[in-house]
Amino acid sequence: MDIEYYGSFVTRLVENKFRKDNPLNPGFRVFNLAECESKIYLNLFMNLSFNENIKFALKTRPTWIKKENKEMGKNYLDNAYINFNLGKGLFLSVGKENLIGGVGFSYYPSDFFSEKKEIDFTLKEEEQSSDREGNYIVRSELLLENVTLTAIIAPEIDSLQEEHIRSEFRFSTLLYDTDLSISYFYSNYGRIGWNISRAVGQKFEVHSALGLGFGSDRKYLRKKSEVGVPGSGIFEYEVYEPVDEEKLFLRGLIGGHYTSANKTNYIVEYFYNQDGYDENEWKEFFTIIKDNSNKLISPPSGFSKDLFKFNLSLANSLMTYRYLRRHYLFARVWNPEIYNRFDVTCGILLNLEDKSFVILPTADYKLIKDFMMLRLGGAVFKGDEESEFGLSPMENYYYFETRFFF
């Protein structure tokens, strides 16, 4: 039996700065947020080859976290599956696997198995999809000449995997130097995925990804009941999922990479999210937030502030940042070898509708090559009060981490 293992030991310190006047959480009256966070975790990879036909893959992240005066420990299991080579290009995998799909860099419109997974967006983009828990699946692959056929089933398992049974069927091929994959995914409703990418010369690459859903995950706030005497204008709200007459919902991405002679990499991607709020829906949503925020600060006579706190807690549950609106642009500049010591990245995520944005700088210093690295990074959220990132409770955050590799 052959054993291969590698990974990293990481310590991270995070300093958060929150908006005290945020309408979603005015004066921190709805919930408290930790300004300081410490995290220590091990990112361990292990591959066991019992023979040429049976292999086991493991990726685990035992983690200790301290927020203010609260401590917790958890073991994140990303991969733990057995792969069988059944011969003639046929493979079967059983276990827990983090299925990484699609060609998107900032968004993953066709990576359906990653939906609702916990993703740490403070990590560099390359690490966000790899450091997440997997799904319990049975996966089969048939490799033919220039064609791969894949079938995946993720069953519902009590206490382990509470999502309804999910399945995906994928066709991948290399067509005239172009990588193409088409997939059909089904859970509570069907989705079609599309990915295409092509290298143009030695320095340029273009790609596109689509996710077409025959249903929507969008949610809204609506008035549930009027509180007090008729005509009081005070309401209790509820979350609801409308039955849309428009049955097809598209998420699409198009972008490209360019790498210069000095190894600087430039990437630009445009993301369209039909599931997001349009202009009128967003204004209506913000009006509800602002009204309840004002009433929480100064409750009308005879009404408890708990009602307005409850309404704002519902609004907070719908804040899927990065996916709230419909049009986004991502751009990033990266050079991994400045003076053979520094790896420097600076990205920006821009909401094209309200012009709010997030700036994402990161700098790595290779203190001891292949053994120890220091990282300094952060994010700055900008926008007016009614914009997506201006409404974010976070004003900025900064972190420092040390990584030891083995």
Side-chain angles (χ1 to χ4, degrees):
M1 181 174 65
D2 294 329
I3 302 177
E4 176 191 24
Y5 65 90
Y6 57 95
S8 59
F9 178 76
V10 183
T11 64
R12 168 182 273 212
L13 300 174
V14 183
E15 182 75 23
N16 301 311
K17 183 179 180 181
F18 300 103
R19 293 186 171 96
K20 188 176 181 180
D21 58 349
N22 181 11
L24 283 165
N25 189 24
F28 306 113
R29 291 176 172 88
V30 181
F31 52 86
N32 292 318
L33 295 165
E35 293 187 355
C36 298
E37 178 181 331
S38 302
K39 180 186 288 188
I40 300 174
Y41 65 96
L42 177 67
N43 206 343
L44 175 64
F45 299 78
M46 183 178 294
N47 297 310
L48 307 179
S49 299
F50 299 97
N51 55 50
E52 62 182 9
N53 296 321
I54 303 176
K55 298 181 180 181
F56 175 74
L58 174 71
K59 182 177 183 292
T60 184
R61 289 178 290 126
T63 304
W64 173 82
I65 301 174
K66 182 179 180 181
K67 293 184 178 181
E68 301 294 353
N69 297 320
K70 297 181 180 179
E71 299 182 20
M72 63 170 289
K74 182 176 180 180
N75 183 46
Y76 296 92
L77 189 61
D78 301 337
N79 290 324
Y81 63 90
I82 298 178
N83 182 265
F84 301 93
N85 182 351
L86 304 180
K88 296 184 178 180
L90 181 62
F91 296 86
L92 178 69
S93 296
V94 180
K96 193 172 188 179
E97 184 175 1
N98 176 19
L99 299 162
I100 302 174
V103 295
F105 188 74
S106 55
Y107 288 90
Y108 327 103
S110 62
D111 193 0
F112 303 120
F113 278 103
S114 70
E115 294 176 351
K116 301 180 182 179
K117 289 292 181 183
E118 180 183 342
I119 297 177
D120 186 354
F121 288 108
T122 67
L123 296 173
K124 294 180 70 172
E125 287 77 15
E126 294 87 346
E127 299 165 354
Q128 292 173 13
S129 57
S130 62
D131 286 3
R132 69 185 184 205
E133 282 203 283
N135 299 272
Y136 291 96
I137 56 96
V138 177
R139 176 171 59 90
S140 63
E141 280 191 323
L142 178 60
L143 276 61
L144 304 173
E145 186 177 359
N146 287 338
V147 171
T148 301
L149 304 176
T150 306
I152 305 167
I153 297 177
E156 181 179 356
I157 305 173
D158 291 341
S159 74
L160 289 179
Q161 191 158 267
E162 297 180 353
E163 298 97 330
H164 294 303
I165 185 170
R166 293 162 292 161
S167 60
E168 184 175 47
F169 302 93
R170 186 186 309 144
F171 169 86
S172 306
T173 185
L174 178 64
L175 186 64
Y176 299 111
D177 298 325
T178 300
D179 287 307
L180 171 67
S181 72
I182 303 172
S183 62
Y184 177 76
F185 178 88
Y186 185 81
S187 57
N188 54 330
Y189 57 85
R191 302 167 178 85
I192 294 175
W194 164 280
N195 290 278
I196 187 169
S197 64
R198 179 168 183 168
V200 181
Q202 298 295 318
K203 298 182 179 181
F204 192 61
E205 179 269 356
V206 292
H207 56 265
S208 177
L210 299 175
L212 183 65
F214 298 92
S216 171
D217 292 326
R218 62 168 62 188
K219 296 179 181 179
Y220 297 92
L221 281 184
R222 69 178 178 185
K223 297 172 182 176
K224 180 181 179 181
S225 60
E226 190 172 19
V227 181
V229 297
S232 66
I234 308 297
F235 298 92
E236 178 184 349
Y237 286 83
E238 65 180 356
V239 175
Y240 81 105
E241 299 182 43
V243 178
D244 291 282
E245 296 180 0
E246 189 176 11
K247 296 296 182 182
L248 298 179
F249 287 84
L250 174 68
R251 285 181 173 177
L253 177 142
I254 185 169
H257 292 256
Y258 174 78
T259 304
S260 65
N262 67 352
K263 298 185 180 180
T264 300
N265 175 261
Y266 304 87
I267 181 171
V268 177
E269 289 184 333
Y270 163 72
F271 175 63
Y272 172 69
N273 175 37
Q274 192 176 355
D275 238 0
Y277 291 95
D278 64 24
E279 186 67 25
N280 292 330
E281 292 166 344
W282 179 255
K283 287 182 178 179
E284 181 180 349
F285 183 50
F286 183 80
T287 299
I288 295 172
I289 293 172
K290 191 64 176 177
D291 178 62
N292 281 272
S293 180
N294 292 334
K295 289 182 169 65
L296 176 60
I297 297 172
S298 301
S301 178
F303 291 93
S304 170
K305 64 180 181 180
D306 290 339
L307 171 64
F308 311 110
K309 182 177 179 179
F310 171 76
N311 289 339
L312 286 176
S313 68
L314 293 181
N316 276 279
S317 71
L318 303 184
M319 299 303 291
T320 54
Y321 296 105
R322 298 169 56 97
Y323 291 92
L324 283 172
R325 303 300 299 276
R326 296 193 170 187
H327 302 277
Y328 294 88
L329 183 73
F330 176 81
R332 196 185 80 164
V333 180
W334 168 46
N335 191 307
E337 294 186 10
I338 298 178
Y339 301 119
N340 295 318
R341 285 285 185 178
F342 292 93
D343 181 321
V344 178
T345 304
C346 188
I348 182 170
L349 177 62
L350 172 66
N351 182 317
L352 291 172
E353 294 173 89
D354 59 31
K355 306 305 184 291
S356 62
F357 59 90
V358 185
I359 300 175
L360 302 158
T362 305
D364 296 345
Y365 176 63
K366 303 167 188 175
L367 186 62
I368 303 176
K369 189 176 181 181
D370 299 327
F371 176 69
M372 184 178 179
M373 182 190 77
L374 306 179
R375 174 176 291 178
L376 181 65
V380 179
F381 297 76
K382 291 293 184 179
D384 61 44
E385 185 183 64
E386 297 187 26
S387 66
E388 177 178 1
F389 299 116
L391 194 57
S392 166
M394 188 80 67
E395 185 173 351
N396 57 63
Y397 66 80
Y398 302 97
Y399 63 86
F400 174 77
E401 66 179 52
T402 304
R403 296 196 176 201
F404 298 90
F405 301 95
F406 58 87

